[in-house]
């Protein structure tokens, strides 16, 4: 019997510092919604009770991270903190050249103009939206090739983050010369936080070696992905997460990472490469937009926090708690008949709003209707990933409940589940929305809406 054999999830940390959360009345929230044009991005954070908008930059840092920050060396060039950062990432990934950046999309902005460009195609399991935008901004096309199981939200296939290898080979056969690299996003955020298997990565590598195409990893949630591999993949149970992560990185030629996720940092990221020529070009771009090569848009203390966070995220008690507590939220919602993307993702639960609210047509944004209902009911902030965000190109109508790392306890999660119970009981009364004003691109951030 150990602590994990009990039903209650024991968070593998105790709390040293607390931050009050806001409680508002329903009448206040109604006014706030109206003022915000029913867009949750316009709600001030101090009017949000539980914030599930994103798991990015919202982690609670550890005592060791905070103390490491005090050691931050703020020298312009060659700061001690850079060498701590560089060594940690080299040890983790095995890559030679480590380039710090201020967040994930900064790595994308530097990297894709170098490898992309007009006429190029960058296939992947499914690109995150900033990744896609940066690939396309370089003139290249971003091509999503998720495995077919990913389209069925109710399938419990264990590795729905996988790439469709047959589809990939087909594209390569036609367009080999136009493909500078393939990018695998771990876990697959755009399709439910689902993991990629080691087998799929190995087979992708094998295929790409045959055609001499490099493989890169978007490592934002690599540790969650590695732990899913340990839990679900044959022969992996006895391996440590560090070993699995090492194998993941060894199959690729480099990685881009937003350290705002699995590194528990509030800001930061990196680009890690083996190729010297690419590195020289990337460093040149880095100096133009981010900063000198040993800080890349970050303070020395940020480099320290990231380095320490990357060690902590490989602790298996943490990862066990992390994936278990996310799944627990999913189980609780399903008890109230709330359909989710199955199986539960690593960093978030994705509610299938189209299934949950079949009386609201897609043109009236069922996902957004649910997100507004969650805020109106209890001050819970979530994010629509459907027709509002993807403007006619949405494959599903989802609401993402992203879980900040080490921030909320099991009682918070129980409370969220109870709120869903109340909404589920009167879901037929929920109404759709129409857009009052929206910009042409990235409209979900600033659009104003009105209820029907
Ligand atoms: N790649 C993935 C898989 C991401 O999820 C994100 C960000 C990025 C790259 C970009 O990193 O934000 O540091 O510039 N995802 C956040 C989210 C914003 O809410 O899922 P960034």
């Amino acid at each position: 019997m150990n602590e994990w054999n009990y039903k209650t999830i024991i968070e593998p940390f105790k709390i040293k510092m607390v931050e009050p959360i806001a409680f508002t009345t329903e009448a206040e929230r109604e006014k706030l919604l109206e003022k915000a044009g029913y867009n949750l991005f316009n709600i001030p954070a101090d009017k949000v009770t539980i914030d599930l908008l994103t798991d990015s930059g919202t982690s609670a840092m550890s005592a060791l991270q905070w103390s490491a920050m005090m050691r931050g060396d703020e020298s312009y060039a060659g700061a001690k903190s850079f060498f701590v950062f560089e060594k940690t990432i080299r040890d983790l990934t095995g890559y030679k050249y480590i380039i710090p950046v201020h967040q994930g999309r900064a790595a994308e902005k530097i990297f894709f103009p170098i490898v992309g460009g007009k006429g190029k195609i960058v296939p992947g399991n499914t690109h995150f939206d900033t990744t896609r935008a940066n690939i396309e901004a370089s003139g290249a096309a971003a091509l999503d090739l998720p495995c077919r199981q990913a389209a069925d939200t109710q399938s419990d296939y264990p590795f729905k983050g996988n790439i469709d290898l047959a589809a990939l080979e087909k594209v390569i056969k036609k367009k080999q010369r136009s493909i500078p690299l393939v990018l695998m996003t771990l876990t697959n955020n755009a399709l439910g936080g689902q993991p990629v298997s080691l087998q799929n990565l190995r087979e992708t590598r094998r295929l790409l070696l045959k055609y001499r195409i490099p493989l890169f990893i978007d490592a934002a949630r690599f540790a969650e992905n590695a732990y899913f591999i340990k839990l679900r993949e044959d022969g992996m149970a006895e391996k440590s997460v560090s070993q699995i992560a090492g194998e993941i990185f060894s199959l690729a030629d480099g990685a881009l990472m937003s350290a705002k996720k699995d590194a528990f940092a509030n800001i930061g990221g990196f680009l890690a490469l083996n190729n010297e020529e690419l590195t020289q070009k990337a460093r040149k771009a880095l100096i133009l937009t981010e900063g000198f090569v040993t800080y890349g848009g970050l303070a020395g203390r940020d480099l320290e926090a990231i380095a320490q966070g990357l060690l902590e995220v490989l602790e298996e008690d943490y990862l066990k708690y992390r994936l278990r507590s996310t799944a627990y939220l999913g189980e609780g919602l399903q008890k109230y008949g709330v359909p989710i993307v199955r199986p539960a993702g690593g960093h978030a639960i994705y509610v299938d709003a189209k299934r949950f609210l079949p009386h609201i047509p897609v043109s009236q944004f069922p996902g957004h209707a649910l997100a507004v209902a969650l805020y109106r009911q209890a001050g819970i902030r979530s994010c629509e990933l459907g027709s509002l965000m993807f403007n006619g190109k949405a494959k599903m109508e989802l609401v993402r409940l992203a879980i900040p790392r080490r921030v909320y306890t099991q009682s918070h999660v129980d409370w969220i589940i109870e709120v869903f119970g109340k909404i589920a009981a009167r879901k037929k009364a929920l109404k759709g929305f129409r857009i009052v004003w929206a910009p042409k691109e990235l409209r979900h951030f600033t659009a104003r809406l009105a209820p029907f």
Side-chain angles (χ1 to χ4, degrees):
M1 196 75 178
N2 70 25
E3 60 273 28
W4 293 103
N5 292 341
Y6 294 87
K7 275 204 203 95
T8 309
I9 295 169
I10 176 162
E11 285 90 8
F13 48 81
K14 53 186 179 170
I15 296 163
K16 202 182 196 78
M17 194 188 285
V18 295
E19 194 179 351
I21 53 180
F23 294 105
T24 47
T25 65
E26 194 160 343
E28 279 176 89
R29 291 193 294 274
E30 194 56 66
K31 270 204 194 122
L32 285 158
L33 278 170
E34 223 172 284
K35 201 171 153 209
Y38 294 89
N39 186 332
L40 300 174
F41 284 95
N42 292 336
I43 304 275
D46 68 351
K47 303 291 182 209
V48 174
T49 302
I50 302 274
D51 206 343
L52 306 180
L53 188 62
T54 179
D55 65 320
S56 180
T58 52
S59 299
M61 289 210 295
S62 66
L64 282 177
Q65 279 181 293
W66 281 108
S67 52
M69 285 183 84
M70 294 304 293
R71 287 198 305 265
D73 175 356
E74 306 303 343
S75 307
Y76 188 94
K80 258 191 304 199
S81 301
F82 171 72
F83 297 107
V84 174
F85 175 88
E86 182 186 50
K87 178 172 187 321
T88 309
I89 298 168
R90 263 195 197 145
D91 289 351
L92 170 70
T93 64
Y95 302 134
K96 261 196 221 151
Y97 305 108
I98 312 300
I99 300 170
V101 292
H102 83 272
Q103 64 182 88
R105 68 199 70 179
E108 294 163 357
K109 173 75 184 76
I110 284 169
F111 187 58
F112 288 112
I114 298 170
V115 295
K118 207 159 176 247
K120 299 270 172 68
I121 304 168
V122 180
N125 50 344
T126 307
H127 299 298
F128 179 66
D129 51 8
T130 60
T131 319
R132 164 177 293 281
N134 276 302
I135 291 170
E136 288 173 354
S138 82
L143 181 65
D144 293 337
L145 299 172
C147 65
R148 72 189 150 72
Q149 291 89 341
D152 175 5
T153 62
Q154 300 311 294
S155 144
D156 274 325
Y157 186 68
F159 291 106
K160 286 163 100 174
N162 284 353
I163 197 165
D164 182 335
L165 284 157
L168 179 61
E169 182 153 26
K170 214 165 138 191
V171 179
I172 294 175
K173 278 190 174 149
K174 268 200 212 141
K175 301 273 183 185
Q176 182 178 0
R177 280 159 190 261
S178 311
I179 301 177
L181 61 97
V182 170
L183 182 73
M184 292 287 262
T185 300
L186 275 47
T187 54
N188 191 340
N189 183 18
L191 288 183
Q194 303 291 325
V196 178
S197 70
L198 208 46
Q199 188 190 343
N200 190 251
L201 280 167
R202 286 189 190 125
E203 285 173 12
T204 306
R205 180 60 159 179
R206 209 172 302 138
L207 176 70
L208 296 184
L209 282 176
K210 191 164 114 191
Y211 293 96
R212 296 168 175 265
I213 297 172
L215 176 62
F216 278 76
I217 307 246
D218 177 332
R221 300 177 181 85
F222 77 95
E224 289 171 5
N225 198 109
Y227 198 68
F228 273 125
I229 288 174
K230 182 177 168 102
L231 293 179
R232 296 180 181 173
E233 196 156 347
D234 285 346
M236 289 294 138
E238 299 307 317
K239 292 211 176 171
S240 72
V241 172
S242 295
Q243 281 173 320
I244 297 170
E247 180 158 0
I248 289 173
F249 289 115
S250 76
L251 292 168
D253 301 282
L256 298 88
M257 179 167 182
S258 164
K260 300 174 73 173
K261 284 83 170 171
D262 267 355
F264 300 113
N266 302 124
I267 197 73
F270 62 80
L271 181 57
L273 303 166
N274 274 337
N275 181 298
E276 195 181 337
E277 195 190 323
L278 274 183
T279 302
Q280 275 169 6
K281 288 182 183 164
R283 285 190 171 144
K284 189 175 153 206
L286 185 83
I287 292 174
L288 279 178
T289 58
E290 290 279 294
F292 187 62
V293 299
T294 59
Y295 73 86
L298 294 170
R301 53 182 170 273
D302 301 322
L303 298 169
E304 295 275 355
I306 293 166
Q308 175 60 29
L310 285 171
L311 300 179
E312 288 173 19
V313 79
L314 296 170
E315 286 168 14
E316 299 193 12
D317 274 349
Y318 160 74
L319 286 167
K320 194 180 282 184
Y321 140 79
R322 171 73 174 160
L323 299 194
R324 180 70 203 104
S325 57
T326 305
Y328 175 82
L329 172 59
E331 288 158 17
L333 298 192
Q334 290 179 94
K335 279 189 195 143
Y336 284 112
V338 180
I340 65 164
V341 174
R342 295 170 57 116
H347 67 295
I349 292 296
Y350 295 66
V351 177
D352 186 339
K354 195 167 152 184
R355 241 172 229 267
F356 184 56
L357 303 172
H359 63 286
I360 302 180
V362 165
S363 59
Q364 296 179 17
F365 312 118
H368 190 69
L370 174 58
V372 170
L374 279 166
Y375 182 75
R376 180 184 282 131
Q377 176 79 32
I380 296 172
R381 177 155 67 175
S382 55
C383 188
E384 188 255 16
L385 283 99
S387 291
L388 179 60
M389 182 182 278
F390 300 115
N391 198 355
K393 287 189 211 139
K395 293 195 187 94
M396 301 177 198
E397 302 298 321
L398 304 178
V399 174
R400 187 180 74 169
L401 311 169
I403 310 188
R405 292 170 182 76
R406 304 191 295 210
V407 170
Y408 296 118
T409 65
Q410 188 169 4
S411 344
H412 288 114
V413 175
D414 282 332
W415 190 80
I416 297 165
I417 294 169
E418 222 181 305
V419 170
F420 261 95
K422 291 222 156 62
I423 292 176
R426 49 166 203 86
K427 65 176 192 170
K428 292 214 171 84
L430 299 192
K431 297 217 162 69
F433 281 81
R434 66 185 171 84
I435 293 178
V436 177
W437 175 86
K440 276 218 179 77
E441 276 159 24
L442 296 172
R443 64 180 187 175
H444 61 288
F445 288 123
T446 52
R448 297 188 73 82
L449 297 102
F452 274 102

